[in-house]
Amino acid sequence: MLRHKSALTTASLVIAIALIFVASIWLNRDLDEDASFVGTDTAATEYIEDANPEYQPWFSPVFTPGSGEIESGLFAVQAAVGAAVFGFAVGALWQRRRTESEPSATPPAPTAATAED
């Protein structure tokens, strides 16, 4: 029974994530054929420039990739490193909880109070 409930929960979560993804793409679609998806930085910059043409940025980027492919690759590497750190943290916490909940195979070491008795 528990295994069936777990599989049903997992399937429900995967379907919910897929629906959220499809809904976000559908709701944010642009009817313009030449439109492409842009990041929030680009969208915010365009909005600021439209709202206030005299706006001057406070600073400029330190590094600008040579092409969109390089930028996408760097973003993918950043996402992979973040996923690896997150996965390591979750695995370490899971292992800690697992070792704390298992009974120890060796008896605990005697303390000073029990040694005197």
Side-chain angles (χ1 to χ4, degrees):
M1 176 69 182
L2 182 63
R3 186 174 282 177
H4 176 68
K5 188 174 183 179
S6 176
L8 183 62
T9 302
T10 302
S12 299
L13 289 173
V14 169
I15 290 170
I17 290 170
L19 287 174
I20 289 171
F21 178 74
V22 169
S24 67
I25 297 294
W26 185 75
L27 290 173
N28 291 322
R29 72 186 186 284
D30 194 348
L31 299 177
D32 185 15
E33 304 242 346
D34 297 330
S36 64
F37 289 104
V38 296
T40 55
D41 293 342
T42 304
T45 302
E46 289 174 0
Y47 178 78
I48 291 169
E49 288 173 351
D50 289 343
N52 186 3
E54 295 86 31
Y55 174 76
Q56 293 295 320
W58 292 359
F59 50 88
S60 61
V62 176
F63 170 73
T64 303
S67 68
E69 291 83 10
I70 294 173
E71 184 176 0
S72 295
L74 290 173
F75 184 75
V77 168
Q78 177 186 359
V81 169
V85 169
F86 180 75
F88 176 79
V90 168
L93 291 172
W94 177 76
Q95 182 64 28
R96 181 188 307 170
R97 177 171 290 191
R98 190 173 134 201
T99 56
E100 288 174 354
S101 66
E102 290 179 356
S104 179
T106 60
T111 60
T114 57
E116 293 175 5
D117 293 336

